[in-house]
Amino acid sequence: MAGGGTHEAVADLHKALLSEQHLPSSRSHPELGARGGEGGFLKAPGGFRRYFLHRKASEEGKALEQRPVAWSTPFLESVRPLIRVGYFESVLGIRLSEDGETLPPLPGESGIPQTILALSKSFVGSGITFLPGAFSQGGWLFSSVVLGVIAIVNAICIRQLLDCSKKTGRSGYGDIGELAAGAIGKQAVHVSLVVSQFGAYVAFLIFISQMAESLGALDYVSKSQVIMILVAILVPLCWIRNIHKMEFAILGADVLIIFGLGAILSYSVQDLRDHGPDPNIVTFKPQTCGLFLGTAVYTFEGIPYILPIADSMRQPEKFWPLFLVVFPCIAALFIVFGLVGYVNYGAGVKTVVLLNMPTGDILSASVRAAYMAALLLSLPLVFLSAARITELWIFGVIREKGSKKWSKNALRTAEVCLFGVVAIYGAEFFEKFLAFVGATCCAPIAFIYPSYFHLRLCAEGLCAKLFDAFFILLGLTAMGFVLYATM
């Protein structure tokens, strides 16, 4: 009987867990793997179910290689590569321990699905929700075309950075900068990356505070108090030493972000279907197009993660062909998201498009609350890599393990409090703040540095050098234009 067989299997498993000395070894059950034999297999989440499936398959004579791999792998183990966050720790070109010691590069473990997710996670963040508001600054036609051009230029610069890595054998952005321009090149890369990470942290604080305000927080506290409460919540989170302890919290944040973006698109498309495009949209807005350009550059913030992601692949040679498939899809998502949001809400679109969702609607409130939670869970990840670099600058490499723990905690607390102050005074100029960060930090990282490093390390012949020089000039021009627009 099927039911009797099931009961017997459960009874056997229960006995096995109670007395591991009676367990057969994994040699007699190769499907259980080598970790902890049958006892370890059974104690893993879902072990009962997988054991029962293997037992039934064995009774039916099904060979091990014909069974799904998932039967021999705990669920949490199978999804861990999909949420690996180690490459975020090497965003600044070096992986540092808590005591400032350089760690070896990550082993190449990622396959195609993990790399697709890593690329998507690197580029698709909070920046996408600023695009409809940015489109209102540039006009729908100008913004759509220029965003596509920025994506193409960004891809070219990523190719240049990969070429530099291949030629030098270095996988760190800062290390490549050092080979191209000496110590000042490495320091310039690190300063730009640290400031961009901290700038993103401030942007997240403002973003979250605006979400809280939209949910009625101002009925109880002031705007500045909202940010002060957020700082109080985030200070203990900034003390986290090992970001891997938050792997599944970060996975939850990613799920919530996808849910939020899907809900926004759904609302916008439904509004367009019911009411048509807003009559006040324009094709080009020369007065404020510089603000669009800065925000657009800020949105393509994923280039520092490219080298660590490529190195984390089991087959790094497949990275570029895969990138050429994934990145155009990301760019298309950016254009569609910005265009649909602006065409729907017109001149009334907010800097953060989530604020345009209907008020008093349970689903809308749930989306905003979910996005708030997602950003709160993401902030320790944004903070950690840059914080470790600033600690290295101040404390150096610490020989006595853990001796500077509370000094570092004090530094991190001061940094988060400083970001809170900047957020309080910068919230009123959020659009200009985003454009400023995009111009001063993201433009050099995304366009100027890769082209300059490629010019110094890889360019051969006049045409190649002129090509690199053109992109350097393009990046400098965009940077100057955006800075002028923010003044």
Side-chain angles (χ1 to χ4, degrees), residues 192-208:
S192 294
L193 286 167
V194 166
V195 176
S196 69
Q197 291 287 97
F198 286 162
Y201 196 97
V202 174
F204 278 25
L205 277 177
I206 298 174
F207 192 161
I208 296 169

Side-chain angles (χ1 to χ4, degrees), residues 422-454:
V422 174
I424 289 172
Y425 290 99
E428 186 178 350
F429 313 100
F430 193 20
E431 290 178 340
K432 289 187 176 182
F433 176 79
L434 290 174
F436 181 81
V437 172
T440 57
C441 300
C442 300
I445 292 167
F447 307 124
I448 299 172
Y449 295 157
S451 299
Y452 179 71
F453 298 162
H454 192 270

Side-chain angles (χ1 to χ4, degrees), residues 242-256:
N242 188 347
I243 201 68
H244 293 281
K245 295 177 180 177
M246 294 191 67
E247 282 182 337
F248 293 101
I250 294 166
L251 175 62
D254 293 339
V255 172
L256 292 175

Side-chain angles (χ1 to χ4, degrees), residues 433-487:
F433 176 79
L434 290 174
F436 181 81
V437 172
T440 57
C441 300
C442 300
I445 292 167
F447 307 124
I448 299 172
Y449 295 157
S451 299
Y452 179 71
F453 298 162
H454 192 270
L455 176 66
R456 295 295 301 269
L457 297 173
C458 300
E460 297 179 358
L462 181 61
C463 290
K465 293 180 179 179
L466 289 175
F467 185 79
D468 289 341
F470 170 76
F471 283 104
I472 295 171
L473 181 61
L474 184 65
L476 290 171
T477 302
M479 184 176 172
F481 183 65
V482 175
L483 286 175
Y484 174 77
T486 60
M487 299 302 175

Side-chain angles (χ1 to χ4, degrees), residues 59-287:
E59 292 174 357
E60 295 170 1
K62 184 180 291 186
L64 181 62
E65 57 271 13
Q66 295 176 332
R67 306 175 197 177
V69 176
W71 287 13
S72 301
T73 308
F75 172 73
L76 297 182
E77 193 72 23
S78 65
V79 301
R80 176 164 278 113
L82 297 177
I83 58 172
R84 58 177 295 145
V85 294
Y87 56 87
F88 282 94
E89 296 177 6
S90 56
V91 60
L92 301 182
I94 51 176
R95 296 184 67 234
L96 296 177
S97 70
E98 182 57 31
D99 297 313
E101 295 177 330
T102 302
L103 299 175
L106 290 164
E109 299 174 351
S110 299
I112 299 298
Q114 294 94 325
T115 304
I116 292 173
L117 185 69
L119 284 171
S120 303
K121 182 177 178 178
S122 299
F123 283 96
V124 183
S126 64
I128 190 174
T129 62
F130 307 142
L131 283 176
F135 268 57
S136 72
Q137 302 291 344
W140 70 266
L141 181 60
F142 172 84
S143 300
S144 300
V145 172
V146 171
L147 195 59
V149 171
I150 290 175
I152 293 171
V153 174
N154 197 248
I156 292 172
C157 291
I158 286 172
R159 177 72 253 187
Q160 292 175 323
L161 195 59
L162 290 169
D163 287 344
C164 291
S165 177
K166 183 177 181 180
K167 183 164 185 178
T168 61
R170 302 293 182 88
S171 58
Y173 203 161
D175 291 339
I176 293 172
E178 186 174 28
L179 289 175
I184 192 172
K186 183 174 185 176
Q187 198 68 9
V189 170
H190 285 180
V191 169
S192 294
L193 286 167
V194 166
V195 176
S196 69
Q197 291 287 97
F198 286 162
Y201 196 97
V202 174
F204 278 25
L205 277 177
I206 298 174
F207 192 161
I208 296 169
S209 69
Q210 291 185 350
M211 292 296 99
E213 292 170 22
S214 72
L215 293 173
L218 295 186
D219 294 341
Y220 308 97
V221 292
S222 66
K223 290 184 178 181
S224 59
Q225 287 174 330
V226 170
I227 294 178
M228 290 168 63
I229 292 170
L230 289 174
V231 168
I233 295 171
L234 290 168
V235 163
L237 291 179
C238 81
W239 294 352
I240 292 175
R241 290 323 201 229
N242 188 347
I243 201 68
H244 293 281
K245 295 177 180 177
M246 294 191 67
E247 282 182 337
F248 293 101
I250 294 166
L251 175 62
D254 293 339
V255 172
L256 292 175
I257 287 174
I258 294 171
F259 167 68
L261 296 180
I264 297 167
L265 272 178
S266 177
Y267 269 107
S268 298
V269 170
Q270 185 63 43
D271 278 351
L272 282 173
R273 187 185 304 166
D274 295 341
H275 308 293
D278 188 279
N280 298 317
I281 60 174
V282 296
T283 56
F284 178 46
K285 202 171 179 181
Q287 304 92 332

Side-chain angles (χ1 to χ4, degrees), residues 289-312:
C289 64
L291 295 178
F292 161 78
L293 190 59
T295 306
V297 172
Y298 172 85
T299 303
F300 286 95
E301 57 184 333
I303 189 170
Y305 305 113
I306 291 298
L307 294 179
I309 291 173
D311 284 345
S312 72

